[in-house]
């Protein structure tokens, strides 16, 4: 049955070459831990992507129950944790996954730097990777406020004060994020919109560019 459905779709839009182009791509020997144990350092990029996928899927689940206003935000998180089936597990995956993805992207960035993989012809891909690094940090920062508890409030206060310390544009960035002089309803709404719409959109676009350039330029050489 599934094969007939696949054949029907493939006859009309020719999807087989698309997935074969990805699935049939041979992994070079120098990045395969099966040949060289030290090649595990090349896995950090893939692990980062895998963790990002988990974050997106678990985040979509959490968004179905989260209410982004200061009256109901904390209560909606408590409801998710105590009354929704598998809610505690999925929120735990999202919470701890946020830390794991930052560690993974940091290790991946270190690998790229210390193996010189940012050099010609991969300079643009290095810039894209650095932008991805900062976007993932931004996702972690904006997501921290969403539970709307005391820890989130004061951590966000510290983050906004750090943003204010940036020369020239610091005040503008802080006001843009906070939506006013104090952390309140505007801040929570803006953090939610940035966390759920703006940063994920930029993240997916840059990941697509990152992968396209990797396929065109190949994986950099061995250590």
């Amino acid at each position: 049955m599934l094969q007939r459905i696949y054949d029907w779709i493939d006859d009309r839009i020719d999807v087989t070459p698309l997935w074969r182009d990805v699935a049939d791509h041979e992994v070079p020997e120098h990045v395969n831990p099966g040949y060289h144990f030290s090649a595990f350092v090349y896995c950090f990029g893939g692990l980062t992507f895998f963790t990002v996928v988990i974050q997106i899927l678990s985040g979509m689940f959490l968004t179905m129950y989260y209410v982004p206003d200061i009256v109901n935000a904390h209560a909606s998180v408590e409801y998710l944790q105590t009354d929704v089936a598998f809610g505690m597990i999925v929120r735990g995956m999202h919470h701890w996954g946020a830390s794991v993805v930052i560690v993974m992207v940091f290790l991946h960035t270190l690998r790229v730097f210390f193996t010189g993989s940012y050099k010609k012809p991969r300079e643009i891909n290095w810039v894209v990777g650095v932008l991805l690094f900062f976007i993932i940090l931004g996702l972690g920062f904006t997501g921290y406020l969403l539970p709307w508890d005391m820890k989130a409030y004061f951590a966000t206060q510290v983050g906004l004060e750090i943003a204010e310390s940036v020369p020239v544009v610091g005040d503008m960035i802080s006001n843009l994020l906070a939506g006013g002089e104090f952390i309140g309803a505007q801040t929570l709404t803006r953090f939610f919109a940035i966390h759920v719409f703006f940063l994920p959109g930029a993240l997916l676009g840059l990941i697509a560019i990152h992968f396209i350039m990797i396929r065109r330029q190949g994986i950099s050489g061995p250590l």
Side-chain angles (χ1 to χ4, degrees):
M1 179 65 179
L2 292 177
Q3 184 63 46
R4 292 178 62 185
I5 295 174
Y6 174 82
D7 292 339
W8 186 87
I9 296 173
D10 193 41
D11 288 341
R12 283 154 182 79
I13 57 176
D14 199 22
V15 295
T16 298
L18 297 177
W19 68 262
R20 281 199 175 277
D21 183 56
V22 176
D24 293 348
H25 184 67
E26 185 177 356
V27 177
E29 182 180 324
H30 70 277
V31 301
N32 188 341
Y35 291 97
H36 309 286
F37 178 73
S38 61
F40 78 91
V41 296
Y42 285 90
C43 297
F44 292 133
L47 290 172
T48 302
F49 178 69
F50 176 71
T51 317
V52 165
V53 171
I54 291 176
Q55 289 301 96
I56 292 172
L57 295 177
S58 58
M60 291 167 66
F61 177 84
L62 298 180
T63 307
M64 291 193 298
Y65 297 95
Y66 181 71
V67 181
D69 68 64
I70 58 175
V71 176
N72 298 301
H74 187 68
S76 67
V77 173
E78 284 195 335
Y79 170 74
L80 175 73
Q81 291 232 133
T82 56
D83 295 333
V84 176
F86 307 109
M88 181 180 291
I89 295 174
V90 177
R91 183 171 181 248
M93 289 170 59
H94 198 74
H95 175 81
W96 294 108
S99 300
V100 172
V101 72
I102 290 174
V103 172
M104 286 295 114
V105 74
F106 180 67
L107 293 175
H108 179 56
T109 305
L110 286 181
R111 197 282 297 168
V112 172
F113 179 78
F114 284 111
T115 57
S117 303
Y118 55 85
K119 297 178 181 176
K120 184 181 178 180
R122 299 182 176 84
E123 301 98 320
I124 297 176
N125 213 9
W126 165 255
V127 173
V128 171
V130 171
L131 291 175
L132 284 169
F133 179 75
F134 284 111
I135 285 175
I136 288 174
L137 289 181
L139 282 164
F141 176 63
T142 53
Y144 208 83
L145 180 66
L146 302 188
W148 197 246
D149 53 19
M150 295 303 290
K151 185 171 70 172
Y153 179 91
F154 287 110
T156 303
Q157 180 70 47
V158 172
L160 292 175
E161 289 174 358
I162 293 174
E164 284 180 0
S165 66
V166 176
V168 183
V169 296
D171 288 336
M172 184 182 69
I173 294 173
S174 179
N175 288 330
L176 180 66
L177 291 173
E181 189 175 352
F182 303 103
I183 296 175
Q186 283 279 354
T187 315
L188 183 63
T189 305
R190 291 189 181 200
F191 271 52
F192 177 75
I194 293 170
H195 186 76
V196 173
F197 299 112
F198 292 96
L199 290 181
L203 181 77
L204 293 176
L206 289 174
I207 285 177
I209 295 171
H210 197 58
F211 283 170
I212 290 171
M213 284 197 282
I214 290 174
R215 288 303 301 269
R216 285 178 178 271
Q217 298 169 339
I219 301 175
S220 60
L223 290 169

